[in-house]
């Protein structure tokens, strides 16, 4: 556990170097407000800056719209998780250990943001805010270099160990994401699967990923 905490700390330090302190504070404020249950359509820039402990005017020094700030926060959270996985790879962790660490991060995310409710809110929000968020997400699709690089690293890691035969990046992501989605459903509906222990579910997910990639 200490080793995992060390990797997490290193990843956080890298993000601190990438983002200006005030931007990082606003992103974390957005995430904290999401975790508290705030609705996207009613969230105000003044609330975000107040949560971040900075003046409202400061937000417009870095962002043109509230939606740009919200999507940036979501991307920031994703990059935090990706950075941790990169650290695990660099420190020689196995493909299985990395997948299990990813599942653990998913557990933490589901607990923090009430399952996949945040994603559902973005998709189903028909207000101007919701539409603008989807537009901003689409605009940032080009900012996926780190996720693409991570896919390549995971693919080579598993292939070099003889665990998988699949070499197509789309197939790799499809296999991993489909099983992570299944695990997220398990986490948010555990009352339906009372007889299945979390360790069993993790092992089942990992086994399915290996099967799908062979």
């Amino acid at each position: 556990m200490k080793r995992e905490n060390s990797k997490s700390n290193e990843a956080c330090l890298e993000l601190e170097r990438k983002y200006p302190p005030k931007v990082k504070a606003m992103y974390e404020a957005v995430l904290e407000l999401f975790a508290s249950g705030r609705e996207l359509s009613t969230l105000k820039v003044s609330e975000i800056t107040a949560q971040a402990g900075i003046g409202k005017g400061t937000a417009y020094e870095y962002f043109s719209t509230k939606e740009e700030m919200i999507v940036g926060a979501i991307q920031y959270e994703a990059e935090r998780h990706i950075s941790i996985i990169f650290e695990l790879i660099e420190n020689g962790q196995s493909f299985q250990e990395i997948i299990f660490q990813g599942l653990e991060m998913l557990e933490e995310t589901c607990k923090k943001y009430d399952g996949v409710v945040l994603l559902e809110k973005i998709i189903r929000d028909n207000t101007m805010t919701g539409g603008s968020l989807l537009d901003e997400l689409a605009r940032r699709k080009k900012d996926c270099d780190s996720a693409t690089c991570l896919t390549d690293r995971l693919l080579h890691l598993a292939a070099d160990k003889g665990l998988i035969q699949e070499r197509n990046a789309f197939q790799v992501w499809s296999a991993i994401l489909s099983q992570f989605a299944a695990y997220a459903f398990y986490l948010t509906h555990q009352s339906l699967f009372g007889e299945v222990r979390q360790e069993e579910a993790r092992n089942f997910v990992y086994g399915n990923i290996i099967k799908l990639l062979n």
Side-chain angles (χ1 to χ4, degrees), residues 2 12 16 25 29 33 37 39 61 81 94-95 121 129-130 156 164 182 191 193 195 214:
K2 288 183 179 179
C12 289
E16 286 179 5
L33 288 166
E39 293 292 332
E61 294 176 16
H81 291 157
S94 69
F95 183 71
K121 284 180 178 178
T129 296
H156 289 301
I164 66 172
S191 60
F193 310 104
E195 72 283 1
N214 282 291

Coordinates of all heavy atoms in Angstrom, one line a residue, residues 2 12 16 25 29 33 37 39 61 81 94-95 121 129-130 156 164 182 191 193 195 214:
K2 N 2.0 1.2 0.7 CA 2.9 2.4 0.8 C 3.4 2.7 -0.6 O 3.6 3.8 -1.0 CB 4.0 2.2 1.8 CG 3.6 2.3 3.2 CD 4.7 2.1 4.2 CE 4.3 2.2 5.6 NZ 5.4 2.0 6.5
C12 N 0.7 12.8 -8.9 CA 0.1 14.1 -8.6 C 1.1 15.3 -8.7 O 0.7 16.4 -9.1 CB -0.4 14.1 -7.1 SG -1.9 13.0 -6.9
E16 N 0.8 18.7 -11.0 CA 1.1 20.0 -10.4 C 2.0 20.8 -11.3 O 1.9 22.0 -11.4 CB 1.6 19.9 -9.0 CG 0.6 19.5 -8.0 CD 1.1 19.3 -6.6 OE1 2.3 19.6 -6.4 OE2 0.4 18.9 -5.7
A25 N -6.5 24.4 -8.8 CA -7.5 24.7 -7.7 C -8.9 24.7 -8.2 O -9.8 24.2 -7.5 CB -7.1 26.0 -7.0
A29 N -11.9 22.1 -7.4 CA -13.2 22.6 -6.8 C -14.3 22.1 -7.6 O -15.4 21.7 -7.0 CB -13.1 24.2 -6.9
L33 N -17.3 19.8 -6.0 CA -18.8 20.2 -6.1 C -19.6 19.0 -6.8 O -20.7 18.7 -6.4 CB -18.9 21.5 -6.9 CG -18.4 22.7 -6.2 CD1 -18.3 23.9 -7.2 CD2 -19.4 23.1 -5.1
G37 N -22.7 16.4 -5.1 CA -24.1 16.2 -5.7 C -24.6 17.4 -6.5 O -25.8 17.4 -6.9
E39 N -25.7 19.9 -9.4 CA -26.2 19.7 -10.7 C -25.4 20.5 -11.7 O -25.1 21.7 -11.4 CB -27.7 20.1 -10.8 CG -28.6 19.2 -10.0 CD -28.7 17.8 -10.6 OE1 -28.6 17.7 -11.8 OE2 -29.0 16.9 -9.8
E61 N -9.4 34.6 -16.6 CA -8.0 34.7 -17.1 C -7.6 33.4 -17.7 O -6.6 33.5 -18.5 CB -7.1 35.1 -15.9 CG -7.4 36.4 -15.3 CD -6.5 36.7 -14.0 OE1 -5.5 36.0 -13.9 OE2 -6.8 37.6 -13.3
H81 N -5.5 9.6 -13.2 CA -5.5 8.2 -13.2 C -4.5 7.6 -14.2 O -3.8 6.6 -13.9 CB -6.9 7.7 -13.6 CG -7.9 8.0 -12.5 ND1 -9.3 8.1 -12.7 CD2 -7.7 8.2 -11.1 CE1 -9.9 8.4 -11.5 NE2 -9.0 8.5 -10.6
S94 N 3.1 -5.9 -13.2 CA 2.5 -6.8 -14.2 C 1.2 -6.3 -14.8 O 0.6 -5.4 -14.3 CB 2.3 -8.2 -13.6 OG 1.2 -8.1 -12.7
F95 N 0.8 -6.8 -16.0 CA -0.4 -6.4 -16.6 C -1.6 -6.6 -15.7 O -2.5 -5.8 -15.5 CB -0.6 -7.2 -17.9 CG -1.8 -6.9 -18.7 CD1 -1.9 -5.7 -19.4 CD2 -2.9 -7.7 -18.8 CE1 -3.0 -5.3 -20.1 CE2 -4.0 -7.4 -19.5 CZ -4.1 -6.2 -20.2
K121 N -25.4 12.3 -16.1 CA -25.8 13.7 -16.1 C -25.4 14.5 -17.3 O -26.1 15.3 -17.9 CB -25.3 14.4 -14.8 CG -26.1 14.0 -13.6 CD -25.5 14.8 -12.3 CE -26.3 14.4 -11.1 NZ -25.8 15.1 -9.9
T129 N -26.2 24.2 -20.9 CA -25.0 23.7 -20.3 C -24.6 22.3 -20.8 O -23.5 22.1 -21.1 CB -25.2 23.7 -18.8 OG1 -25.3 25.1 -18.3 CG2 -23.9 23.2 -18.1
G130 N -25.6 21.4 -20.8 CA -25.3 20.1 -21.2 C -24.9 20.0 -22.6 O -23.9 19.3 -23.0
H156 N 1.8 -3.6 -25.5 CA 3.2 -4.2 -25.6 C 3.5 -5.0 -24.3 O 4.2 -6.0 -24.3 CB 4.2 -3.1 -25.9 CG 4.1 -2.6 -27.2 ND1 4.3 -3.4 -28.4 CD2 3.9 -1.3 -27.7 CE1 4.2 -2.6 -29.4 NE2 3.9 -1.4 -29.1
I164 N -1.5 -12.0 -24.3 CA -2.5 -11.7 -25.3 C -2.0 -11.8 -26.7 O -0.7 -11.7 -26.9 CB -3.2 -10.3 -25.1 CG1 -2.1 -9.2 -25.4 CG2 -3.8 -10.2 -23.8 CD1 -2.7 -7.8 -25.5
A182 N -18.7 -3.2 -17.0 CA -19.4 -4.3 -16.3 C -19.1 -4.3 -14.9 O -20.0 -4.4 -14.0 CB -19.0 -5.7 -16.9
S191 N -26.3 -4.9 -4.5 CA -27.4 -5.6 -3.9 C -28.0 -6.7 -4.7 O -28.6 -7.6 -4.2 CB -28.5 -4.6 -3.5 OG -29.0 -3.9 -4.7
F193 N -26.1 -8.6 -6.6 CA -25.1 -9.6 -6.7 C -24.5 -9.9 -5.3 O -23.3 -10.0 -5.2 CB -24.0 -9.2 -7.7 CG -24.5 -8.7 -9.0 CD1 -24.5 -7.4 -9.3 CD2 -25.0 -9.6 -9.9 CE1 -25.0 -6.9 -10.5 CE2 -25.5 -9.2 -11.2 CZ -25.5 -7.8 -11.4
E195 N -24.1 -12.4 -3.6 CA -23.3 -13.6 -3.4 C -22.0 -13.5 -4.0 O -21.1 -14.4 -3.8 CB -24.1 -14.9 -3.9 CG -24.1 -14.9 -5.5 CD -25.1 -14.0 -6.1 OE1 -25.8 -13.2 -5.3 OE2 -25.3 -14.0 -7.3
N214 N -7.6 -12.7 -26.7 CA -7.0 -13.9 -27.3 C -8.0 -14.6 -28.3 O -7.9 -15.8 -28.4 CB -6.5 -14.8 -26.2 CG -5.3 -14.4 -25.6 OD1 -4.2 -14.4 -26.2 ND2 -5.4 -13.9 -24.3

